[in-house]
Amino acid sequence: MNATLQSLRFVFVMMIFMSHFAYRGFTPFDAGGDCGVVFFFLLSGFTMSMGYGRSIADGSFRFSRYLKRRLLKVYPLHLLCLLLFLALFRPALDGALPVNALLLQSWIPDSAYYFSYNGVSWFLSSLLFSYLLFPIAYRKGNALVLAVLLLCCLVVYVVVPYNRINALLYVSPLVRFVDFFLGIMLYKLFRSTPSLSVPNWIELLIVALLVLALWIYPYTDEKLRNAPLYWLVLLPLIFVFARQVGSVSRLLQNSVLQWLGSLAMPIFLLHPMVFRAMTHFFPSIPTPLMLLTCFALVVALSWTIHRTFMSHIERK
């Protein structure tokens, strides 16, 4: 992954981080949570294409090797965080546990399942489905397939009742695959325009449009907040920043931001547990101190897990 996109992983995981921080009247950054989720599905489709597109095209792609690498990136960390959740909070065990452990929870439209235990792991459940479909999606991906998917998505968005948005739009692997597929198609466009020149002001404009999208989020229909609101901004954002040519890109190539970006997945999976533990054991400390402490703990734990656990697994 290039340096700019790596740093953007940290920027958007922090939006998700802030969307879950609710403490002593502090209002969670809901707009950032939805935005961050869309970004990571789009980016996954884009980077999977960047990493495997050539081998798929020339016939050297091996699904078994690819799947092993994807599973090693997802399952061990998921299971470690699930065990940590069980040890810390000792919840009552129920039928959702095996479903969660197998990363099948997002297929069941019941919050007792899809938000069970370490609730953010629903993302991995839906992402795994996209990983499984990636090779055929890359081979068959074209404008017609994209149009059909978007039409089906439009129908789903229209017919789903508002009280089922989370179950049938937000966590659904089928709907989230559309985000992932858009990332694939974005990469194909990116690859086909290698010499396209992007003026510096375009990066600044995209940042301004992202801020605007986050600002209008509360005034947007709930269904559109789920993803379409952010497609209009995040697709050009990834397309432009992947070229790494503007002033904002140069700022994002900072080594500290890149390092933090490499910790995005453990930060994502660990931060709700850190919030819950800290607010339980230290319910009276000032809000700014709570926020800074939670951030420091999440980064420290993520780095420790990355260095002592994930790096060894990913070398297998």
Side-chain angles (χ1 to χ4, degrees), residues 148-195:
V148 171
L149 277 178
L150 290 176
L151 180 61
C152 293
C153 193
L154 174 63
V155 172
V156 171
Y157 269 73
V158 169
V159 301
V160 166
Y162 282 89
N163 64 348
R164 302 292 285 164
I165 287 176
N166 269 352
L168 301 177
L169 296 182
Y170 187 68
V171 306
S172 168
L174 294 172
V175 174
R176 283 303 180 185
F177 175 73
V178 177
D179 297 329
F180 185 85
F181 189 80
L182 281 167
I184 293 174
M185 296 304 295
L186 182 67
Y187 174 74
K188 290 189 173 186
L189 176 63
F190 178 84
R191 185 194 60 187
S192 69
T193 56
S195 60

Side-chain angles (χ1 to χ4, degrees), residues 30-260:
D30 290 336
D34 285 354
C35 182
V37 166
V38 178
F39 172 81
F40 280 107
F41 276 109
L42 293 173
L43 185 68
S44 294
F46 188 89
T47 55
M48 286 294 98
S49 301
M50 183 180 287
Y52 292 101
R54 181 174 297 179
S55 63
I56 290 174
D58 66 21
S60 63
F61 178 82
R62 295 294 177 266
F63 183 75
S64 58
R65 184 169 55 190
Y66 157 81
L67 185 59
K68 177 183 177 182
R69 292 188 68 181
R70 293 302 100 202
L71 291 175
L72 285 175
K73 276 189 170 291
V74 170
Y75 261 111
L77 181 60
H78 162 61
L79 292 176
L80 177 65
C81 290
L82 176 59
L83 291 173
L84 182 60
F85 182 92
L86 295 174
L88 282 174
F89 306 114
R90 300 182 181 181
L93 304 183
D94 56 26
L97 180 59
V99 175
N100 186 292
L102 293 172
L103 285 178
L104 297 173
Q105 66 268 43
S106 62
W107 290 97
I108 301 177
D110 181 340
S111 60
Y113 285 87
Y114 59 73
F115 285 156
S116 61
Y117 300 98
N118 188 27
V120 293
S121 63
W122 73 265
F123 173 85
L124 298 182
S125 175
S126 295
L127 184 62
L128 185 58
F129 173 70
S130 292
Y131 282 166
L132 291 172
L133 290 187
F134 167 71
I136 190 170
Y138 188 87
R139 287 192 188 99
K140 303 296 183 181
N142 56 45
L144 178 60
V145 174
L146 177 61
V148 171
L149 277 178
L150 290 176
L151 180 61
C152 293
C153 193
L154 174 63
V155 172
V156 171
Y157 269 73
V158 169
V159 301
V160 166
Y162 282 89
N163 64 348
R164 302 292 285 164
I165 287 176
N166 269 352
L168 301 177
L169 296 182
Y170 187 68
V171 306
S172 168
L174 294 172
V175 174
R176 283 303 180 185
F177 175 73
V178 177
D179 297 329
F180 185 85
F181 189 80
L182 281 167
I184 293 174
M185 296 304 295
L186 182 67
Y187 174 74
K188 290 189 173 186
L189 176 63
F190 178 84
R191 185 194 60 187
S192 69
T193 56
S195 60
L196 180 67
S197 176
V198 179
N200 183 63
W201 64 266
I202 292 291
E203 287 191 353
L204 299 174
L205 175 62
I206 288 175
V207 172
L209 290 175
L210 176 60
V211 172
L212 176 63
L214 294 168
W215 179 72
I216 68 172
Y217 172 90
Y219 312 104
T220 307
D221 184 273
E222 287 182 55
K223 293 181 182 179
L224 297 180
R225 295 177 193 173
N226 187 64
L229 169 65
Y230 293 117
W231 289 344
L232 301 174
V233 177
L234 295 179
L235 287 168
L237 181 145
I238 294 171
F239 182 84
V240 168
F241 281 99
R243 297 187 182 277
Q244 307 185 98
V245 295
S247 58
V248 181
S249 286
R250 287 191 290 273
L251 288 173
L252 289 170
Q253 289 167 32
N254 176 276
S255 59
V256 174
L257 287 177
Q258 290 179 60
W259 174 72
L260 289 167

Side-chain angles (χ1 to χ4, degrees), residues 1 3 5-10 13 73 77 255-267 302-303 306 310 314:
M1 185 182 298
L5 295 180
Q6 182 78 303
S7 294
L8 283 173
R9 294 177 77 230
F10 172 68
V13 83
K73 276 189 170 291
L77 181 60
S255 59
V256 174
L257 287 177
Q258 290 179 60
W259 174 72
L260 289 167
S262 72
L263 302 178
M265 186 60 77
I267 289 174
S302 297
W303 177 78
H306 180 80
M310 292 173 63
E314 290 173 4

